[in-house]
Amino acid sequence: MSQPESVVPLIGIHDLALATSHYALPLTSLADHHGIDPAKFSHGIGQDVMSVLGPDEDIVTMAAEATGRILERNGTEGIRTLLFATESGIDQSKSAGVYVHQLVGLPQQVRVVELKQACYSATAALQFAVGLIARDPSQKVLVVASDVARYDLGSSGESTQGAAAAAMLVQADPALLAVENPAGVFTEDVMDFWRPNYRTTALVDGKGSIRAYLNAIGGAWEDYRAQGGAELSDFASICYHQPFTKMAAKAHRHLAVLSGGNPTPDEVAAYLADTMSYNRLIGNSYTASVYVALASLLDHHDGDLTGARVGLASYGSGSVAEFFGGIVQPGYRARLRAEEHAAMIESRVTLDHTAYEVLHKTTLPEDGREYLTARETARPFRFAGLGDHQRRYERTLG
Ligand code: HMG
């Protein structure tokens, strides 16, 4: 397939690395504990396992691991911006990205900032990165999304928890995916999911959030088409935000119907299968989720996707949605991290339900006293503890 004219100059994702937690909980354990048919999770919402953070892990440790892997391969030359996308912020003032900047050894001549709009903000960060590079193609931008999805124990959202980070190096002449113009966008003030500052778990109107997601993705898609975007049949695959993988199937069917189609559930499942492998095993990772889906597609697709158009459908409750396309670049397969990602997911330690509940109920002191976290993670960075109201991080041997 030839490159469309709208992709000049080519700017996009040059490298994409994921990180997740030390622990994992199979959803069969959760089903067992609550007396629920496990098929509700495996088939009803399309989830098998959720990533669970250890006591010495957080959004910074996952983000530092994913970013570190990008720098190991690409170095730091040309990187002048780090955009950190999260809705699991650890400080009301300081960007979590500044901790990552220090942990991975980025030069001081880098601007760092944190962005928030529920699960959407990594997509805003990617578009802002494209804009910066369009102005000066010699510059590179790190876009880092890192989140932990937490709901109350026993709530209907509990099965849709998870945790992961996705780090992307965005630059001119990218090796993986060139981001196309136009993008379709949609914003609506809706209370489908939110987390007030005083809560560590989210509040959600589950069924309302599904309706809000479909409405917003439909709105972004219609705006994309109105801006002159490609037809649905022009996409080899679409990576949807996946709070649970079945949501992507609902969203794809919605866009297909808006486009005059009527695919069967099996057709939708086959079309999206490659985008779902990682998210089925990680759970919701909020801002990272849609880029976990992209990594899953590129890592798992059997055929050659070179030149193919892939859609990115991003949704963040509250709500903002964006739809855009990208063209998979020649030689992309040599840059994939499929083995690294598989090993990372495979190496998680399985929790039993009791240990998971203990972790879920663990809270951090809020009075400024010295507090050391238990040394549990085998990942490369750990959250060592607190003192004087300050978080401390360190490298491990992982
Ligand atoms: P629920 O009430 O536990 O589940 O909530 P349900 O009764 O609706 O069942 C779920 C599905 O399983 C249904 O299928 C059932 O039929 C099926 P559907 O009708 O949807 O196709 N089912 C079974 N299938 C096979 N065998 C069985 C069986 N039993 C039932 N035995 C809900 C589910 C997703 C609402 C809940 O988990 C929740 O509230 N999750 C959190 C909110 C969420 O993820 N919303 C998604 C859209 S909003 C979004 O994506 C943004 C977000 O990521 C946050 C952000 O932006 O920051 C969340």
Side-chain angles (χ1 to χ4, degrees):
M1 193 188 283
S2 63
Q3 301 279 339
E5 277 180 30
S6 61
V7 198
V8 178
L10 294 177
I11 300 171
I13 303 170
H14 186 67
D15 197 2
L16 168 59
L18 308 181
T20 189
S21 58
H22 177 66
Y23 290 120
L25 181 76
L27 292 193
T28 45
S29 294
L30 200 64
D32 207 29
H33 179 80
H34 292 300
I36 292 171
D37 179 356
K40 174 175 175 180
F41 297 149
S42 58
H43 298 298
I45 61 168
Q47 291 301 129
D48 296 325
V49 184
M50 61 164 86
S51 282
V52 180
L53 292 180
D56 53 348
E57 294 177 316
D58 67 4
I59 54 162
V60 169
T61 62
M62 291 190 296
E65 178 178 353
T67 308
R69 297 206 190 290
I70 296 277
L71 300 186
E72 273 164 25
R73 181 188 279 178
N74 302 280
T76 61
E77 201 184 328
I79 297 173
R80 290 185 58 80
T81 305
L82 188 160
L83 302 175
F84 195 105
T86 189
E87 59 173 299
S88 318
I90 50 160
D91 195 288
Q92 292 286 5
S93 297
K94 179 166 175 164
S95 166
V98 174
Y99 293 100
V100 172
H101 173 276
Q102 187 272 331
L103 285 168
V104 301
L106 279 164
Q108 288 190 305
Q109 288 65 42
V110 172
R111 62 168 79 81
V112 179
V113 70
E114 187 169 306
L115 297 95
K116 176 174 68 186
Q117 174 33 54
C119 301
Y120 163 71
S121 65
T123 296
L126 177 58
Q127 295 290 9
F128 297 164
V130 169
L132 280 171
I133 296 158
R135 194 175 66 172
D136 177 359
S138 72
Q139 293 195 21
K140 301 175 184 179
V141 178
L142 280 166
V143 171
V144 186
S146 186
D147 264 309
V148 47
R150 286 183 94 243
Y151 297 91
D152 285 338
L153 294 173
S155 68
S156 69
E158 188 181 8
S159 54
T160 62
Q161 297 177 114
M168 295 178 268
L169 184 63
V170 184
Q171 65 172 69
D173 197 15
L176 295 182
L177 190 81
V179 172
E180 288 187 295
N181 243 344
V185 290
F186 183 90
T187 291
E188 182 182 28
D189 184 1
V190 50
M191 293 305 283
D192 60 328
F193 166 106
W194 67 106
R195 184 169 67 83
N197 286 345
Y198 50 83
R199 287 184 61 97
T200 58
T201 51
L203 296 165
V204 64
D205 166 5
K207 299 287 189 296
S209 72
I210 292 172
R211 286 193 298 276
Y213 177 125
L214 293 177
N215 188 48
I217 286 289
W221 168 253
E222 283 175 342
D223 184 49
Y224 172 77
R225 291 286 295 141
Q227 306 289 319
E231 292 180 24
L232 203 63
S233 55
D234 293 331
F235 289 89
S237 186
I238 298 176
C239 303
Y240 291 89
H241 167 53
Q242 295 174 15
F244 50 95
T245 64
K246 194 78 172 290
M247 189 68 232
K250 289 178 194 285
H252 188 64
R253 183 163 166 79
H254 184 58
L255 296 198
V257 170
L258 286 177
S259 305
N262 188 19
T264 64
D266 285 350
E267 285 167 343
V268 172
Y271 183 75
L272 298 177
D274 290 335
T275 72
M276 294 175 170
S277 299
Y278 291 150
N279 280 303
R280 280 193 80 93
L281 299 174
I282 287 174
N284 196 354
S285 55
Y286 292 163
T287 48
S289 162
V290 67
Y291 299 99
V292 173
L294 176 61
S296 180
L297 170 68
L298 297 177
D299 287 354
H300 290 96
H301 191 78
D302 273 345
D304 185 1
L305 282 170
T306 301
R309 178 177 285 115
V310 169
L312 276 297
S314 184
Y315 174 72
S317 285
S319 68
V320 179
E322 178 157 342
F323 188 100
F324 65 98
I327 303 295
V328 180
Q329 294 302 293
Y332 76 98
R333 286 177 133 174
R335 308 283 302 182
L336 297 181
R337 297 171 176 272
E339 284 176 19
E340 179 184 307
H341 292 152
M344 178 190 74
I345 290 170
E346 187 64 25
S347 68
R348 288 173 304 172
V349 174
T350 299
L351 292 168
D352 63 27
H353 190 272
T354 307
Y356 151 72
E357 280 210 345
V358 169
L359 277 173
H360 197 285
K361 288 176 182 162
T362 302
T363 54
L364 295 172
E366 296 183 354
D367 56 6
R369 82 184 110 103
E370 279 296 315
Y371 174 81
L372 297 180
T373 55
R375 191 174 283 276
E376 295 188 18
T377 187
R379 311 307 313 174
F381 298 94
R382 63 184 295 275
F383 165 45
L386 287 159
D388 292 332
H389 297 285
Q390 295 173 28
R391 294 174 88 91
R392 297 189 183 129
Y393 294 94
E394 62 190 14
R395 274 181 184 277
T396 67
L397 298 177

